[in-house]
Amino acid sequence: AHHQPAADAARAREFAERMDATANEALGEMGTDFEDYRQIPDKPRYGRLRGLYVRQEIYDDLMGAYDFLPTEPGWFQNLLGYGGVGTTLTQLWKASKVSLNPPAQVRNFVSNMILLQLSGVPLHRMPGLLVRAVSQIANNGQYWQTAKKYGVTESTFNAQELYRLKRGLLDLEKRQGLNPLGRIRHAAAIVLDVAGDAYQMMEALGKTMKIIDAMERQGMPDWQAAIEAQKWLFDYSLVPKSVRYARSAPIGMPFITFHYKVLPRLLEIAVLHPQRFLPWVALYYGLMYAAAAAFGVDDDDIDKLKKALPEWLQKRGFAAVLPYKDELGRVQVVDLGYFFPWSMWTEAGGALAKGEFMEALKTLGIFSGPITDIIVAMKTGKDPFTQRDIVQAGDPPARQIAALVNYVWDMAMPPIVSSRGFLSPMGLLDKAYGGKLTQAVTGTTDKFGSPRATVEQAILGTVGVNLYALDPDSTRAQNLQHMTFELEKVRTRLKRQLEDQGLTAERRRELVTEYFAEIKRRQEKLQQYIRESEVHPKLRAPTMAGE
């Protein structure tokens, strides 16, 4: 105001006084409670922000990277430290498994639609909202402008967590000529950008649908509607430092953000609006009753059938029997857990309820990611996910090398082009590999002589629907064999301990009592499983039914 003409100076001083009054009022309401605020360090490196108090979430955004990055990292920190090669590898790995994987794109879209319904958007309105949201984005409509205004496109999973090559810089370098490596990086940047933009658009589409519904049906102002969209389909930029670190750290939890964000929403719905879960409960149990009616059996028979499924499929918790068999007469089972946003938490809870603590940690993805998998594979020689030997000790050197290369390929590439992915041609070279399409076309069989997959199962796999054709008698026999083997391991362990000549008589009695109790428990569990997993003749595959 001092340097302005008198009239302008008066208006400027009046405006400054109003600003002071507003600030004093806000400070008075806040009092001495600075719990939600942090002070930027009073150091020159922070420029004009030095010493300022800002809200906690802004502080986390500004300071998060600085807190994690070492000032002078050595080569080992560059490899395994935050911000180094390991972080880049983790982000590229997530891009490979998510944005570059078409089934994951579809599952993400379906999961977002389920979250929208759980947020209160009526199911019958969603098809219309979807069409309108597409139109809004295509024509830069009012609601899409609101979404962009409040940053919904900058707070998605893709924008915050996936690796993005510096496309603009590469385009600039391209004009001056790129070497072969530069051309490869430029091509990779295009692929990553296209896939990442598609994944981001799925999230932006859902948030735009929520904004339309909130503003029109609920009468919310645009800013409140945008906040609701971020609340239910998540602001991936707004997370605590620990989550920010864990999701990109070489040894952390790559997909922690989604599960961290979704848990409070699920608890909120369970407490305040449990009826919103009904459509998905009805879908799950409706398929069971439809299957019972289609096959002419009781729902108890379907329950027994599900207990005869492979153990890994039972652990998923949301395996549903479809009301028809495939062309080979095999029962069809679909895994709905990939679409339900609560499946990870229910699986982890189920594992904890059974006392399987390590299984719960594995389900939660603690200490997972490519670096961890490499370390575990190097130390154990097993695939951390399937627990299968990566290299068979008895194989010739050439096959061992091929198996190792195949494992590295599977870990690095999108699942759709992995050795068993939909587009994998490896089954033409080695029947041990190959995706479902190759299996369906070539008619390859498993070790029991059963066909691996049909064309229908292969095609559905490309849109994220994992459909399994099973011979329940065969899988039940495998489960019984495994349980019997585990029972024998307990007996063997007792026998070896009793061979210790240094044991006192009292300690021997304690061991016998303890292990006999465990043997009895496992025997009862085995007998119970035999009773509860007996497959109805109408649900058996033709080869087992004698047809």
Side-chain angles (χ1 to χ4, degrees):
H2 179 72
H3 300 284
Q4 296 178 353
D8 292 338
R11 287 195 296 271
R13 290 191 179 94
E14 178 186 357
F15 187 65
E17 289 172 359
R18 294 207 313 269
M19 292 174 69
D20 279 342
T22 300
N24 289 334
E25 180 182 354
L27 290 170
E29 292 176 356
M30 188 171 65
T32 59
D33 183 12
F34 292 94
E35 182 180 350
D36 294 332
Y37 290 79
R38 292 287 301 277
Q39 185 180 23
I40 301 292
D42 190 8
K43 296 180 180 179
R45 70 185 296 186
Y46 300 108
R48 298 181 66 181
L49 292 175
R50 60 183 295 178
L52 288 180
Y53 280 89
V54 297
R55 285 188 60 86
Q56 177 71 52
E57 58 268 26
I58 298 175
Y59 178 89
D60 289 341
D61 272 347
L62 293 174
M63 301 298 297
Y66 285 113
D67 287 351
F68 301 146
L69 295 175
T71 305
E72 296 180 0
W75 71 270
F76 202 76
Q77 285 177 298
N78 275 326
L79 178 63
L80 294 179
Y82 186 91
V85 176
T87 295
T88 301
L89 183 60
T90 299
Q91 292 174 330
L92 283 169
W93 178 79
K94 287 198 289 185
S96 168
K97 304 307 178 186
V98 178
S99 62
L100 291 172
N101 188 36
Q105 295 260 15
V106 176
R107 291 166 184 164
N108 174 60
F109 173 75
V110 175
S111 180
N112 284 344
M113 296 302 103
I114 293 176
L115 285 170
L116 278 180
Q117 181 272 329
L118 294 178
S119 76
V121 177
L123 269 176
H124 70 273
R125 282 179 53 86
M126 291 180 66
L129 288 172
L130 177 59
V131 173
R132 293 184 60 192
V134 171
S135 176
Q136 284 284 312
I137 294 173
N139 300 305
N140 196 29
Q142 167 195 353
Y143 299 109
W144 178 235
Q145 292 181 32
T146 296
K148 292 188 294 182
K149 176 182 177 182
Y150 292 102
V152 299
T153 60
E154 302 307 315
S155 58
T156 60
F157 176 85
N158 177 72
Q160 294 295 321
E161 300 199 26
L162 301 186
Y163 183 77
R164 301 292 289 251
L165 290 168
K166 297 176 178 62
R167 174 80 178 279
L169 180 59
L170 289 170
D171 286 341
L172 184 61
E173 292 176 348
K174 183 181 179 182
R175 298 175 188 174
Q176 301 175 355
L178 292 172
N179 58 32
L181 180 60
R183 287 195 291 270
I184 292 174
R185 292 183 66 216
H186 187 264
I190 295 174
V191 174
L192 283 172
D193 277 0
V194 171
D197 289 344
Y199 196 88
Q200 180 168 278
M201 187 53 63
M202 292 297 101
E203 295 186 37
L205 188 65
K207 290 180 178 181
T208 304
M209 292 170 63
K210 182 63 180 177
I211 289 172
I212 296 173
D213 183 73
M215 292 180 66
E216 291 186 352
R217 187 175 63 85
Q218 298 177 281
M220 291 184 182
D222 61 354
W223 62 268
Q224 189 175 359
I227 289 176
E228 279 293 296
Q230 297 283 55
K231 172 184 176 181
W232 289 99
L233 294 182
F234 312 142
D235 180 348
Y236 284 84
S237 68
L238 192 59
V239 293
K241 283 198 300 181
S242 57
V243 173
R244 188 183 300 273
Y245 181 89
R247 71 189 184 186
S248 294
I251 300 177
M253 298 176 64
F255 301 103
I256 185 177
T257 312
F258 176 83
H259 303 302
Y260 168 81
K261 290 282 187 178
V262 80
L263 181 59
R265 302 286 74 80
L266 297 175
L267 294 175
E268 176 183 337
I269 298 163
V271 173
L272 301 178
H273 308 286
Q275 73 282 359
R276 293 179 184 173
F277 286 114
L278 288 177
W280 314 111
V281 174
L283 171 65
Y284 180 72
Y285 285 100
L287 285 174
M288 180 178 72
Y289 294 127
F295 298 136
V297 297
D298 296 330
D299 54 325
D300 289 340
D301 296 316
I302 300 296
D303 281 335
K304 290 182 178 181
L305 171 68
K306 291 174 66 175
K307 291 179 181 178
L309 298 179
E311 187 177 358
W312 62 267
L313 190 54
Q314 293 184 54
K315 287 181 178 179
R316 291 284 300 165
F318 293 101
V321 181
L322 296 180
Y324 69 96
K325 297 182 179 181
D326 69 2
E327 60 203 53
L328 301 173
R330 296 174 298 179
V331 171
Q332 302 283 285
V333 179
V334 62
D335 186 359
L336 299 176
Y338 286 108
F339 301 100
F340 292 155
W342 53 81
S343 59
M344 189 210 71
W345 288 109
T346 54
E347 286 179 40
L352 287 175
K354 296 177 182 177
E356 299 173 351
F357 182 70
M358 296 305 296
E359 185 66 29
L361 293 181
K362 180 181 176 181
T363 301
L364 292 172
I366 296 177
F367 303 131
S368 60
I371 299 295
T372 308
D373 287 353
I374 291 172
I375 293 173
V376 173
M378 289 174 61
K379 291 184 69 68
T380 66
K382 294 180 180 293
D383 183 338
F385 183 72
T386 64
Q387 293 302 307
R388 295 175 180 171
D389 290 330
I390 297 172
V391 175
Q392 299 295 330
D395 283 347
R399 292 192 67 87
Q400 292 189 22
I401 293 173
L404 183 60
V405 171
N406 181 73
Y407 171 74
V408 174
W409 173 267
D410 282 354
M411 187 176 67
M413 292 296 104
I416 197 169
V417 294
S418 66
S419 65
R420 292 179 172 83
F422 177 78
L423 298 179
S424 171
M426 292 187 67
L428 299 174
L429 306 175
D430 188 338
K431 290 187 177 182
Y433 302 107
K436 287 188 174 181
L437 182 61
T438 306
Q439 295 169 9
V441 172
T442 60
T444 56
T445 61
D446 59 21
K447 62 182 180 181
F448 301 103
S450 301
R452 290 179 180 269
T454 64
V455 174
E456 175 195 23
Q457 293 150 15
I459 293 174
L460 286 175
T462 63
V463 292
V465 180
N466 280 4
L467 196 62
Y468 305 99
L470 300 170
D471 178 349
D473 281 298
S474 177
T475 55
R476 177 176 182 259
Q478 293 177 54
N479 292 342
L480 287 170
Q481 184 181 29
H482 175 71
M483 294 175 73
T484 303
F485 177 71
E486 292 296 316
L487 177 60
E488 288 303 316
K489 284 173 63 176
V490 177
R491 291 194 177 104
T492 302
R493 177 62 178 161
L494 172 60
K495 181 180 178 181
R496 288 180 178 175
Q497 293 210 63
L498 293 178
E499 290 173 353
D500 184 353
Q501 300 301 314
L503 293 176
T504 63
E506 182 180 357
R507 180 55 181 158
R508 286 178 180 275
R509 286 193 296 271
E510 290 176 355
L511 284 172
V512 170
T513 300
E514 182 181 351
Y515 275 84
F516 271 32
E518 177 64 13
I519 290 171
K520 182 180 179 182
R521 185 186 71 81
R522 289 177 180 261
Q523 286 176 332
E524 291 175 350
K525 184 178 179 181
L526 178 61
Q527 293 301 318
Q528 181 182 7
Y529 180 78
I530 292 173
R531 293 192 303 271
E532 294 181 354
S533 63
E534 186 176 358
V535 182
H536 193 284
K538 293 183 179 180
L539 299 174
R540 292 175 177 169
T543 54
M544 298 300 294
E547 299 177 9

